[in-house]
Amino acid sequence: MRNAAATALSAQAEPIAEPAPVTVAMGDGIGPEIMEACLRILEAAGASLAIDEIDIGESVYRAGHSAGITDSTWQSLRHNGVFYKAPITTPQGGGYKSLNVTVRKSLGLFANIRPCRAYPACIPTRHPAMDLVVVRENEEDLYAGIEHRQTDQVYQCLKLVSRPGCEKIIRYAFEYARAHGRRKVSCFTKDNIMKMTDGLFHEVFDQIAPEYPEIETDHWIIDIAAARLADTPEIFDVVVMPNLYGDILSDIAAQITGSVGIAPSANIGSNGAMFEAIHGSAPPLAGRDIANPSGLLLAGVMMLVHLRQPEVAERIHNAWLATIEQGIHTDDIHRAETSRHRVGTRGFADAVIERLGTEPETMTPVRYNADAAPVIAPEPLPQRVAAKTLVGVDVFVHATDTAEALAGTLRRNAGDILDLQMITNRGVKVWPDGLPETFCTDHWRCRFMPADSCPVNQSDVVALLASLTEAGVDFIKSEQLYDFDGKRGYSLGQGQ
Ligand code: NAD
C-alpha cells in the first residue's frame, strides 16, 4: 500500500459530503498516465474522495504473488468497498492468475455493467443510433478456472452455472433497466446446445421477466445475437448474458462505438464495487502521452453516481461531452472529418477541466437524478431442497482401444448391479451402433445404469470403480447421474 494514510482529494468547489473512501490502483502500461489524468479531472470537478492507493499488477506478479495482489492489499479493498482501478498487465506465461477475475470473484462483484454508446457527431461509427448496456455475469461459467488434463489427448474446462448466480445477474439487469428508464432487456445464451447450464440461465430469465411487466423482453441464441449486435446494435437496449459471451460481446460492442478507449465498466456486488475502463494496459502506448483516458474517466463517472455524488458525475460527463463535441480528440478517435485538435492524455484532461460547468451544444446533456439510489444488488430467493435420486454413473476412461474392445472389457468387469448402457467419445455415441467414420480420441465417457431399474447407491458406484480398476481400466473421473424431484439432472449425451 503506497499511502498508509488516506489522502483527501479536496475539491475546488465546496466538498459535497464526507469524503468517500476509495481504493485506487494506478495500474501498468498506460494505467498511471490515464489514472493521473482522471484523478485530476475528478478533483477539479469537486469529487469528495478519500483515496487509498495500492500496488497491484505486474510488479506484484513478478514479486511472486500469483494473482498480482498481496494479502495486505485485500484489507484496503474490503474496508473501502469501492475500487477505482487502472488496467494492469498480466505477465505472459503459466502460473499467473487473472487479477481481475480474482478481485471480481473474491469480492462477490457479480454484475459487470458496460454501457456502449455511439457519439456519431464527433466519433465516426457505422452505428450512429447505438446505445446499449451489456450486463455480464461475472463470477461463474467457464471462468471458474477449473481445468484438467485428463488423457494424452484431452483437456477439460468446467462450466459451472448456479441458480442463485443466474437470479442475481438477471434481476440486476431488470433493476438496472428500471432505474435507468430502459425499455427492453434481451437475454443471450446458447441453450440449444448447452441445455442444462445455458438452459438454466434462460429459464431463470423467463421466470423473472414477468416481475417487470413494463419492460419488453426477448431471448436470442448467442451466435445470431452476436451477428446482429455487430451489424444492427441499435435493436438492443440492455443485454444480459453469461460470463464468457459477455466478455467477448462487450469488447465488440465497445469497439464499434468508435474506440475501445471510450468504454467504461462497473463491477457491482452486494458489498463492494470496482470501476475500470474495459480496455487493457496497451503496453505499446505506455509513457507516450497518447492514450485516451475517456474509458477510465466515464468509469469514474459511474463510480461517482454509485457514491451518491451525482452532481459531480453530471458536471464531468457534460464537460467530457463538450470536449469531444468540440473535436478535441486523442489519437485513437482523431479523424480529419470530425476532429479539430489532436491532444495527448494530459491535454485531453486539461480540455475537460477547462469545460467543467459547461454542457454540450449539439448532443443532449446527461442528467443524473440526485435522488436516485444506486441499483441494489438483490439477494437470490431461498431455494427448496429437491429430492435427489442416484440413477447411474458416467465413468470417464483413458484408453486407446476401439469402442468395441473397450465395451467388452467394461461389460466383463462391471459386476451385477450396473450395466454398461453406452459409450460416447467427445459426446458422440460410439457404442452400441457407432459409425466407423466417427473420429475417436483416447477419452471415453462410459454410462452405467442399474441392470434391472433397481435402486442404486454410492457403494454400488464405488464397487464398480474398484472392479474396473482391478481389471486395469484407467478411469480418470466419474460423474454421478441424479434425478431431482424425478426430473433428469444430466444430458442424454448422444451429441445432439
Ligand atoms: P488492450 O486493450 O491493452 O489493447 C487493445 C488495443 O486497443 C491496442 O491497439 C491498444 O493500443 C488500443 N487501446 C487500448 N486502450 C486504449 C486507450 N485508452 N487509448 C487508445 N488506444 C487504446 O488489450 P491487449 O493488448 O490485448 O492487452 C494488453 C495487456 O492488458 C495484457 O497484459 C492484458 O492481460 C491486459 N488487460 C488488462 C485488463 C484490465 O486490467 N482490466 C483488461 C484487458 C487486458
Side-chain angles (χ1 to χ4, degrees):
M1 205 177 297
R2 213 167 277 163
N3 301 344
T7 316
L9 256 193
S10 60
Q12 284 177 357
E14 196 63 22
I16 290 171
E18 273 294 292
V22 172
T23 302
V24 168
M26 303 301 282
D28 301 315
I30 59 172
E33 52 201 294
I34 60 173
M35 181 58 92
E36 191 269 334
C38 293
L39 291 179
R40 269 203 302 127
I41 297 168
L42 265 60
E43 178 173 15
S48 182
L49 306 177
I51 287 183
D52 191 6
E53 193 182 317
I54 57 166
D55 272 330
I56 54 166
E58 196 170 15
S59 59
V60 183
Y61 278 116
R62 300 222 183 272
H65 300 275
S66 66
I69 184 166
T70 61
D71 290 345
S72 57
T73 303
W74 285 114
Q75 287 169 18
S76 168
L77 292 179
R78 294 183 61 221
H79 178 259
N80 293 331
V82 175
F83 186 19
Y84 191 30
K85 175 183 158 293
I88 58 113
T89 301
T90 311
Q92 294 289 313
Y96 299 114
K97 281 163 61 181
S98 162
L99 173 65
N100 272 342
V101 175
T102 304
V103 171
R104 287 172 191 154
K105 289 172 66 170
S106 303
L107 298 182
L109 309 181
F110 66 87
N112 193 331
I113 315 303
R114 297 181 162 189
C116 298
R117 185 188 152 189
Y119 304 94
C122 44
I123 302 176
T125 168
R126 293 192 200 105
H127 310 285
M130 169 177 188
D131 179 10
L132 62 84
V133 181
V134 177
V135 177
R136 164 190 169 192
E137 198 289 317
N138 233 1
E139 298 178 294
E140 305 200 330
D141 195 5
L142 290 158
Y143 287 65
I146 305 176
E147 294 189 287
H148 298 94
R149 179 175 181 177
Q150 296 186 314
T151 67
D152 288 319
Q153 298 174 351
V154 173
Y155 297 69
Q156 112 177 334
C157 175
L158 279 188
K159 174 169 169 122
L160 296 176
V161 178
S162 75
R163 180 171 280 275
C166 294
E167 281 184 21
K168 282 196 297 180
I169 192 65
I170 289 165
R171 268 185 209 289
Y172 189 92
F174 279 103
E175 290 291 327
Y176 180 95
R178 185 175 267 176
H180 291 83
R182 297 265 174 176
R183 78 194 147 78
K184 184 164 98 168
V185 179
S186 303
C187 174
F188 295 176
T189 71
K190 186 76 180 171
D191 67 340
N192 55 331
I193 300 295
M194 283 159 280
K195 295 175 184 174
M196 302 205 64
T197 46
D198 282 23
L200 176 65
F201 199 92
H202 187 176
E203 181 185 310
V204 172
F205 180 80
D206 286 347
Q207 283 167 357
I208 288 177
E211 295 174 29
Y212 300 84
E214 78 280 17
I215 297 173
E216 198 187 318
T217 59
D218 54 15
H219 171 266
W220 296 69
I221 298 294
I222 186 71
D223 27 6
I224 189 62
R228 293 299 300 273
L229 185 128
D231 182 56
T232 41
E234 62 278 5
I235 66 172
F236 297 114
D237 194 351
V238 174
V239 287
V240 62
M241 63 194 99
N243 204 340
L244 178 65
Y245 312 141
D247 192 1
I248 297 167
L249 263 59
S250 58
D251 268 35
I252 294 173
Q255 180 65 38
I256 64 175
T257 63
S259 170
V260 76
I262 60 173
S265 154
N267 299 268
I268 307 287
S270 307
N271 302 308
M274 173 169 79
F275 300 86
E276 58 181 345
I278 78 155
H279 60 75
S281 59
L285 308 186
R288 296 168 58 194
D289 190 37
I290 53 175
N292 189 344
S294 297
L296 189 60
L297 182 64
L298 294 179
V301 168
M302 293 174 87
M303 177 177 77
L304 290 167
V305 174
H306 179 86
L307 291 171
R308 298 189 184 225
Q309 299 185 24
E311 298 86 357
V312 192
E314 194 172 296
R315 201 173 307 146
I316 295 172
H317 202 152
N318 283 327
W320 178 79
L321 286 171
T323 306
I324 60 165
E325 183 183 79
Q326 290 167 30
I328 300 165
H329 293 165
T330 45
D331 206 42
D332 56 316
I333 57 171
H334 192 275
R335 306 285 179 278
E337 64 277 22
T338 44
S339 304
R340 282 181 45 221
H341 301 291
R342 189 191 299 264
V343 286
T345 312
R346 280 194 291 272
F348 187 83
D350 293 340
V352 175
I353 290 168
E354 275 165 28
R355 285 161 184 76
L356 287 169
T358 70
E359 296 197 336
E361 287 175 6
T362 56
M363 287 190 277
T364 312
V366 295
R367 295 283 174 251
Y368 290 111
N369 180 353
D371 302 326
V375 176
I376 299 294
E379 288 301 317
L381 298 172
Q383 191 165 356
R384 201 179 63 75
V385 176
K388 182 175 153 192
T389 316
L390 182 65
V391 296
V393 61
D394 279 347
V395 180
F396 290 76
V397 172
H398 179 182
T400 50
D401 304 354
T402 63
E404 281 299 329
L406 179 60
T409 307
L410 296 175
R411 294 178 86 191
R412 276 195 302 280
N413 295 284
D416 300 333
I417 309 285
L418 288 155
D419 258 357
L420 181 66
Q421 193 194 57
M422 70 166 176
I423 302 177
T424 66
N425 197 293
R426 294 185 299 172
V428 179
K429 188 171 69 134
V430 291
W431 184 92
D433 307 325
L435 297 177
E437 290 83 2
T438 306
F439 177 80
C440 289
T441 67
D442 58 359
H443 182 275
W444 310 83
R445 188 269 301 268
C446 311
R447 175 157 295 175
F448 290 86
M449 302 295 270
D452 302 313
S453 310
C454 50
V456 56
N457 59 40
Q458 297 281 16
S459 304
D460 299 325
V461 173
V462 172
L464 170 72
L465 297 176
S467 170
L468 295 181
T469 305
E470 187 81 3
V473 175
D474 182 5
F475 87 86
I476 46 176
K477 76 161 186 172
S478 65
E479 291 279 357
Q480 270 78 321
L481 309 178
Y482 294 105
D483 285 351
F484 290 82
D485 288 337
K487 194 172 164 202
R488 181 167 47 79
Y490 51 93
S491 60
L492 291 176
Q494 296 184 17
Q496 76 279 48

